[in-house]
């Protein structure tokens, strides 16, 4: 196990370098970078000043931006150095886990990401917890009642939820329960109320839960189908195995066979996939859900960073989340072996 883990950790290095390198050269040479955006703002400012100014102020709008100002802007954003120099400096900084400074937030990328994570963690954590709480028992019930009316009806329900985009369902929830057309039951925006700090501990919990009902519901409904169908198919596969038929032939009660034998083997892919599901849920960030419910999370940050060409945030967050994803995949592989000793590390390599 130790050798396998070391090997996987070493393989993460070229993977990270490849992802960051590709993204760096794509972002550095696309048009409309921070230097061009700043120059555009200066030109517009000069034009407005020339049109509305008087006295001895000269109009420079037609002359563009002064070359000295352009050099200062390039130095401000680090574009006064060749791309290769900037790239090597970025790799050195990332090796020390220094993600740099945001162009527009005027603080470190670490601070920017930390300020946005609570929203994404909230949505991701509740989405994963509710998905497993609902989908695993439902999948087991569907497997036991395979082909029944219950199985058909629940399949239609979860697949309908999967087919409806989350933001569309969110609009429907706001219209029904957010005061849009019918009832004002839940708040329309934010994770907490304006007077959150003045509330008691119990009041803060209730206020928090009151705010997350609609966004979490909009996020989680589409996830039920995947875990439910996976659970059902896994249980059906285990129920048809020889050891189950042998236990039933020896007179073992159906309930004991299901919960003592089938559950232990069928739960392996569900348990080992839980870390990756959680990490993926809160790192991806749902831009549309966050925008719809006025939540300032990672989805909104990623979108704004790309639009503004805030390259340190784009590259830093990509580096961090790629690293977390690779580590999570390694943890999932180790969990497979710990849960099921029949799996060997040499098989995981293949």
């Amino acid at each position: 196990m130790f050798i396998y883990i070391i090997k996987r950790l070493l393989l993460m290095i070229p993977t990270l370098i490849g992802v960051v390198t590709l993204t760096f050269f794509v972002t550095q040479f696309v048009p409309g970078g921070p230097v061009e955006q700043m120059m555009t703002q200066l030109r517009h400012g000069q034009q407005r000043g020339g049109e509305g100014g008087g006295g001895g102020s000269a109009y420079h709008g037609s002359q563009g931006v002064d070359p000295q100002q352009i050099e200062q802007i390039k130095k401000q954003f680090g574009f006064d150095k060749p791309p290769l120099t900037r790239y090597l400096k970025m790799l050195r900084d990332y090796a020390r886990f220094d993600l740099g400074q945001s162009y527009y937030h005027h603080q470190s990328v670490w601070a920017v990401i930390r300020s946005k994570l609570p929203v994404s963690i909230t949505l991701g954590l509740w989405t994963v917890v509710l998905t497993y709480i609902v989908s695993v028992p439902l999948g087991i019930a569907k497997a036991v009642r395979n082909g029944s009316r219950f199985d058909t009806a629940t399949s239609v329900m979860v697949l309908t939820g999967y087919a409806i985009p989350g933001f569309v369902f969110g609009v429907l929830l706001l219209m029904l329960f957010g005061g849009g057309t019918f009832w004002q039951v839940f708040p329309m925006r934010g994770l907490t109320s304006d007077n959150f700090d003045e509330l008691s501990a119990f009041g803060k919990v209730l206020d928090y839960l009151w705010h997350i009902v609609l966004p979490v519901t909009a996020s989680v409904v589409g996830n039920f189908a995947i875990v439910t169908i996976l659970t059902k198919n896994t249980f059906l596969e285990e129920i048809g195995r020889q050891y189950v038929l042998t236990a039933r032939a020896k007179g073992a009660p159906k309930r004991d066979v299901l919960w003592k034998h089938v559950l232990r083997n069928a739960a392996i892919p569900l348990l080992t996939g839980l870390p990756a599901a959680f990490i993926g849920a809160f790192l991806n960030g749902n831009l549309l859900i966050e925008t719809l419910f006025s939540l300032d999370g990672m989805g909104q940050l990623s979108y704004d960073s790309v639009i503004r060409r805030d390259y340190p945030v784009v590259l830093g967050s990509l580096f961090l989340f790629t690293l977390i994803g690779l580590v999570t995949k390694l943890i999932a592989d180790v969990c497979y072996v710990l849960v099921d000793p029949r799996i060997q590390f040499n098989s995981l390599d293949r």
Side-chain angles (χ1 to χ4, degrees):
M1 180 182 295
F2 179 76
I3 296 177
Y4 175 80
I5 294 175
I6 294 298
K7 183 190 302 184
R8 288 290 299 272
L9 291 174
L10 292 176
L11 287 175
M12 291 180 188
I13 298 175
T15 303
L16 284 171
I17 293 177
V19 170
V20 171
T21 300
L22 178 62
T23 309
F24 174 84
F25 285 104
V26 169
T27 56
Q28 295 296 306
F29 298 105
V30 295
V35 175
E36 290 82 358
Q37 292 186 10
M38 184 66 71
M39 291 168 58
T40 301
Q41 294 177 8
L42 290 175
R43 289 193 186 98
H44 289 170
Q46 290 174 353
Q47 291 174 1
R48 287 193 297 269
E51 293 170 356
S57 62
Y59 171 64
H60 300 288
S62 60
Q63 300 176 12
V65 183
D66 183 70
Q68 187 174 1
Q69 281 185 304
I70 297 177
E71 293 301 321
Q72 291 176 352
I73 295 172
K74 289 183 177 180
K75 186 175 181 179
Q76 175 185 348
F77 292 109
F79 283 82
D80 57 326
K81 300 180 178 61
L84 182 58
T85 303
R86 300 199 304 270
Y87 170 71
L88 294 177
K89 179 181 182 302
M90 180 192 68
L91 290 183
R92 288 195 299 269
D93 292 341
Y94 283 4
R96 301 192 298 267
F97 286 93
D98 179 6
L99 303 183
Q101 298 288 320
S102 169
Y103 291 156
Y104 296 96
H105 294 276
H106 306 295
Q107 54 184 331
S108 68
V109 175
W110 280 111
V112 174
I113 293 176
R114 283 197 300 268
S115 66
K116 310 297 182 182
L117 276 180
V119 171
S120 298
I121 290 178
T122 293
L123 291 178
L125 179 62
W126 283 107
T127 297
V128 172
V129 169
L130 292 176
T131 297
Y132 273 75
I133 288 178
V134 174
S135 298
V136 172
L138 180 59
I140 296 174
K142 288 172 63 65
V144 174
R145 299 170 178 84
N146 184 39
S148 66
R149 293 183 179 179
F150 171 81
D151 182 30
T152 303
T154 52
S155 295
V156 171
M157 292 174 59
V158 296
L159 291 177
T160 301
Y162 180 75
I164 299 176
F167 72 93
V168 174
F169 191 63
V171 171
L172 178 63
L173 292 175
L174 284 176
M175 183 181 68
L176 292 176
F177 305 109
T181 304
F182 295 94
W183 304 283
Q184 178 66 57
V185 180
F186 300 102
M188 297 180 62
R189 57 178 58 87
L191 286 180
T192 56
S193 301
D194 294 335
N195 63 336
F196 182 78
D197 294 333
E198 303 172 3
L199 300 175
S200 64
F202 183 70
K204 289 180 179 179
V205 173
L206 289 181
D207 183 76
Y208 167 75
L209 295 176
W210 183 48
H211 278 76
I212 67 172
V213 169
L214 294 187
V216 169
T217 302
S219 300
V220 76
V221 168
N223 293 337
F224 287 148
I226 298 175
V227 180
T228 300
I229 300 303
L230 174 62
T231 304
K232 175 189 173 182
N233 292 340
T234 304
F235 268 78
L236 284 177
E237 182 180 356
E238 291 296 325
I239 290 173
R241 291 189 181 275
Q242 186 63 43
Y243 73 90
V244 176
L245 299 178
T246 302
R248 294 293 302 276
K250 290 182 178 180
K254 183 178 180 181
R255 180 180 297 273
D256 291 346
V257 173
L258 179 64
W259 297 110
K260 292 183 179 180
H261 301 284
V262 176
L263 178 62
R264 181 169 54 186
N265 293 321
I268 291 176
L270 299 175
L271 294 176
T272 53
L274 184 59
F278 172 67
I279 295 297
F282 88 82
L283 288 187
N284 288 339
N286 194 324
L287 171 62
L288 295 176
I289 296 296
E290 292 178 10
T291 302
L292 184 63
F293 293 96
S294 299
L295 303 174
D296 191 10
M298 290 304 303
Q300 189 67 47
L301 174 65
S302 301
Y303 175 77
D304 291 340
S305 300
V306 172
I307 295 299
R308 293 175 176 177
R309 303 295 195 268
D310 195 351
Y311 296 143
V313 175
V314 174
L315 291 166
S317 58
L318 179 67
F319 170 81
L320 177 62
F321 296 154
T322 302
L323 177 61
I324 293 175
L326 291 173
V327 173
T328 303
K329 183 64 171 62
L330 175 59
I331 293 174
D333 287 347
V334 173
C335 288
Y336 267 112
V337 178
L338 295 178
V339 173
D340 188 356
R342 295 172 300 177
I343 300 176
Q344 301 297 323
F345 279 110
N346 54 4
S347 63
L348 293 176
D349 284 333
R350 295 193 293 270

